[in-house]
């Protein structure tokens, strides 16, 4: 006889087993992305990252911290760059020293607590950099959990934080599956990337997009079919992070590897 | 009903009324449910304007600098460093030359090594940038003592 406990356990595992792989292998269909776009706004800000072009110089992180007044030496940042190195023994090595504020100037991998791992050049099979930033999700879990209405989605898709209204409870920081939120060291309120809202609404590009010498970062308007970013998202093979969470992230990646979380 | 039941009840009702009155004055008029409904669109609308007013610091306008620093501009445009915006090496320029009158000049080795520390990463464009080993390539001397950052030609070196 199967008891209640086992039944529930098996059902949960079974459902997780069926849904996870299906979601993980689903191909992003352009018409689905557009159908998701709610609202009357003529703009839906989206981001495109080309991981092949990123060289890990970290000039985007530096520019972001300066532009958005994030204390330079505090170990928090709105955007950061991760390094992934896969060696012949099949092992994955990943790090992001200081969020790559100073770039990657050595092949050693930072393990934390002052420890490093040496990687020999001849052992590397794959190695690349992945810039990360807020996904400005269409279904932002961080907004759902805010008890006071201090974080919200603007009709053009960007998720903002109201510093006057935020009570600093930290639910949103826990709620974000991508770990993009943190407490601002000076204001002690929730802080996150907002696509440089003060720049994009003036017709400028975000600081990180403009700072990148290699064109690895681009920002665009998904509701404008002529936008170069929209064209890439609609016609090329792009990936998004943690699709299985149903958050509908709006940062798209070219050359995403399954190792990237 | 007995007095000892009614009194606490009045107190509670009184408190609720006070909270409601305070709320009317404390919560701004523009706070409420907007386009995306209660789940995603419950906010203070004027905060959007607050964010739009946040100060811009970087110009990131290639042509802006060329008017007053034509030589640096000309040099860099004919070099492989043409792709690097001036402000990546000189810091945010809004207000310059009025305030700040001068911009920072980043001469550290670390700055050049962001791109030029050799990392042979086959699936990243990093592998295509000429790299040096920081520990072996003239350590302790600033790169710009030998290389012109605006015209990093290797001709004439050695």
């Amino acid at each position: 006889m199967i008891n209640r406990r086992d039944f529930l356990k098996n059902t949960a595992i079974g459902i997780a087993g069926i849904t996870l792989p299906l979601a993980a292998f689903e191909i992003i269909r352009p018409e689905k992305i557009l159908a998701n776009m709610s609202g009357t706004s003529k703009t839906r800000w989206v981001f495109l990252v080309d991981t092949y072009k990123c060289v890990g110089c970290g000039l985007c992180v530096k520019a972001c911290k300066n532009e958005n007044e994030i204390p330079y030496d505090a170990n928090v940042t709105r955007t950061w760059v991760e390094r992934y190195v896969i060696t012949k023994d099949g092992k994955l090595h990943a790090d992001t020293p200081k969020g790559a504020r100073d770039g990657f100037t050595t092949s050693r991998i930072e393990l934390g607590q002052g420890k490093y791992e040496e990687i020999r050049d001849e052992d590397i099979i794959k190695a690349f950099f992945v810039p990360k930033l807020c996904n400005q999700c269409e279904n932002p879990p961080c907004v759902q959990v805010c008890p006071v209405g201090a974080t919200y989605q603007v009709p053009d898709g960007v998720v903002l934080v109201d510093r006057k209204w935020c009570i600093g409870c930290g639910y949103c920081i826990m709620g974000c599956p991508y770990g993009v939120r943190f407490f601002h060291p000076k204001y002690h309120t929730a802080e996150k990337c907002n696509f440089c809202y003060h720049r994009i609404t003036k017709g400028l590009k975000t600081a990180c997009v403009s700072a990148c010498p290699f064109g690895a970062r681009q920002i665009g308007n998904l509701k404008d079919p002529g936008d170069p970013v929209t064209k890439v998202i609609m016609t090329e093979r792009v990936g998004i992070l943690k699709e299985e969470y149903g958050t509908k992230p709006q940062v798209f990646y070219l050359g995403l590897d399954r190792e990237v979380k | 009903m007995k007095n000892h039941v009614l009194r606490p009840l009045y107190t509670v009702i009184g408190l609720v009324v006070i909270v409601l009155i305070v709320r009317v004055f404390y919560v701004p008029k523009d706070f409420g449910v907007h386009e995306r409904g209660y789940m995603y669109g419950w906010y203070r609308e004027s905060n959007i304007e607050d964010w739009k007013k946040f100060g811009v610091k970087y110009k990131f306008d290639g042509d802006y600098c060329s008017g007053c620093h034509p030589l640096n501009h000309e040099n860099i445009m004919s070099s492989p460093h043409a792709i690097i915006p001036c402000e990546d090496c000189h810091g945010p320029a809004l207000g310059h030359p009025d305030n700040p009158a001068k911009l920072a000049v980043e001469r550290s080795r670390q700055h050049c090594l962001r791109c030029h520390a050799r990392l042979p990463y086959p699936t990243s464009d990093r592998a295509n940038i000429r790299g040096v080993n920081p520990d072996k390539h003239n350590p302790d001397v600033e790169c710009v003592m030998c290389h012109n950052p605006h015209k990093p030609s290797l001709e004439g070196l050695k």
Side-chain angles (χ1 to χ4, degrees):
Chain A
M1 250 321 263
I2 182 164
N3 64 24
R4 219 164 85 118
R5 193 192 165 86
D6 283 343
F7 173 74
L8 286 175
K9 214 165 116 187
N10 290 340
T11 316
I13 293 171
I15 289 174
I18 297 164
T19 50
L20 254 186
L22 283 185
F25 290 111
E26 196 180 12
I27 288 173
I28 301 169
R29 277 184 290 133
E31 69 278 10
K32 236 179 94 184
I33 299 176
L34 267 189
N36 281 338
M37 293 300 122
S38 52
T40 51
S41 172
K42 286 198 175 61
T43 316
R44 202 327 167 180
W45 296 109
V46 290
F47 210 89
L48 179 66
V49 177
D50 188 336
T51 59
Y52 293 105
K53 287 185 179 159
C54 180
V55 306
C57 67
L59 289 168
C60 50
V61 181
K62 181 183 172 192
C64 173
K65 292 196 102 169
N66 285 334
E67 176 73 22
N68 293 298
E69 297 173 20
I70 308 298
Y72 203 66
D73 291 319
N75 200 11
V76 288
T77 169
R78 287 182 171 198
T79 184
W80 67 98
V81 182
E82 293 173 355
R83 161 165 67 181
Y84 291 80
V85 177
I86 295 139
T87 42
K88 280 189 185 132
D89 53 7
K91 274 212 190 94
L92 169 70
H93 314 263
D95 71 348
T96 173
K98 288 192 190 147
R101 185 195 76 184
D102 303 331
F104 295 86
T105 53
T106 152
S107 55
R108 294 184 309 177
I109 300 283
E110 191 186 63
L111 300 174
Q113 280 143 2
K115 290 205 192 78
Y116 294 89
E117 184 182 4
E118 298 290 339
I119 306 276
R120 294 190 317 178
D121 290 356
E122 54 273 26
D123 291 339
I124 299 173
I125 7 180
K126 269 196 240 184
F128 53 91
F129 301 98
V130 182
K132 294 267 181 91
L133 67 166
C134 174
N135 284 291
Q136 318 292 352
C137 302
E138 190 59 13
N139 298 334
C142 54
V143 173
Q144 284 186 38
V145 299
C146 178
V148 296
T151 185
Y152 58 94
Q153 193 183 46
V154 184
D156 62 18
V158 174
V159 173
L160 295 179
V161 179
D162 187 339
R163 281 183 183 160
K164 267 199 209 135
W165 226 233
C166 176
I167 56 171
C169 71
Y171 282 174
C172 57
I173 298 175
M174 306 297 286
C176 174
Y178 307 99
V180 307
R181 282 178 176 252
F182 56 92
F183 279 123
H184 193 291
K186 198 165 139 210
Y187 305 109
H188 307 292
T189 53
E191 182 69 23
K192 68 183 267 300
C193 155
N194 58 16
F195 281 3
C196 284
Y197 203 65
H198 58 298
R199 294 181 67 95
I200 56 176
T201 49
K202 290 187 187 76
L204 301 168
K205 299 247 162 72
T206 72
C208 60
V209 167
S210 294
C212 179
F214 306 98
R217 293 172 173 250
Q218 280 175 272
I219 185 151
N221 174 10
L222 194 63
K223 288 194 177 163
D224 172 5
D227 192 304
V229 171
T230 308
K231 282 189 187 151
V232 173
I233 293 172
M234 293 301 168
T235 58
E236 292 189 35
R237 282 168 290 163
V238 289
I240 50 177
L241 297 172
K242 297 188 182 165
E243 184 168 10
E244 63 277 15
Y245 283 61
T247 50
K248 301 197 180 124
Q250 302 298 321
V251 175
F252 295 86
Y253 286 88
L254 283 162
L256 203 59
D257 201 83
R258 75 188 157 83
E259 316 283 350
V260 181
K261 296 280 151 29
Chain B
M1 239 193 283
K2 296 252 173 59
N3 215 9
H4 76 271
V5 177
L6 284 179
R7 252 190 295 163
L9 188 67
Y10 290 146
T11 315
V12 169
I13 291 173
L15 278 175
V16 170
V17 169
I18 289 172
V19 167
L20 286 177
I21 291 171
V22 168
R23 198 179 174 279
V24 167
F25 289 102
Y26 185 69
V27 177
K29 292 273 171 302
D30 59 342
F31 188 91
V33 178
H34 297 91
E35 193 176 301
R36 284 228 55 202
Y38 181 68
M39 185 136 60
Y40 302 120
W42 185 51
Y43 58 92
R44 190 169 64 92
E45 200 168 18
S46 52
N47 183 242
I48 300 180
E49 289 309 312
D50 293 351
W51 274 113
K52 284 185 185 167
K53 281 191 220 120
F54 193 79
V56 172
K57 281 132 208 128
Y58 279 96
K59 268 199 120 73
F60 284 130
D61 176 357
D63 296 331
Y64 175 72
C65 319
S66 61
C68 302
H69 304 288
L71 192 62
N72 297 295
H73 180 80
E74 212 176 285
N75 275 341
I76 210 164
M77 282 307 150
S78 61
S79 88
H81 278 182
I83 54 171
I84 313 175
C86 312
E87 288 171 274
D88 274 2
C89 299
H90 293 298
L94 198 87
H96 171 75
D98 297 331
N99 176 37
K102 285 192 178 193
L103 288 185
V105 177
E106 170 68 277
R107 286 194 183 84
S108 71
R109 280 173 69 89
Q110 279 307 314
H111 186 69
C112 309
L113 291 173
R114 284 169 177 265
C115 296
H116 287 295
R118 201 180 75 86
L119 293 177
Y121 290 169
T123 50
S124 162
D125 275 353
R126 177 65 171 253
N128 303 330
I129 300 180
R130 266 182 252 192
V132 296
N133 182 339
D135 301 328
K136 301 226 169 80
H137 189 79
N138 310 301
D140 308 323
V141 188
E142 277 166 2
C143 318
V144 291
M145 295 295 285
C146 306
H147 300 288
N148 179 350
H150 303 132
K151 202 172 187 143
S153 164
L154 292 175
E155 268 170 53
L157 286 175
K158 250 179 204 168

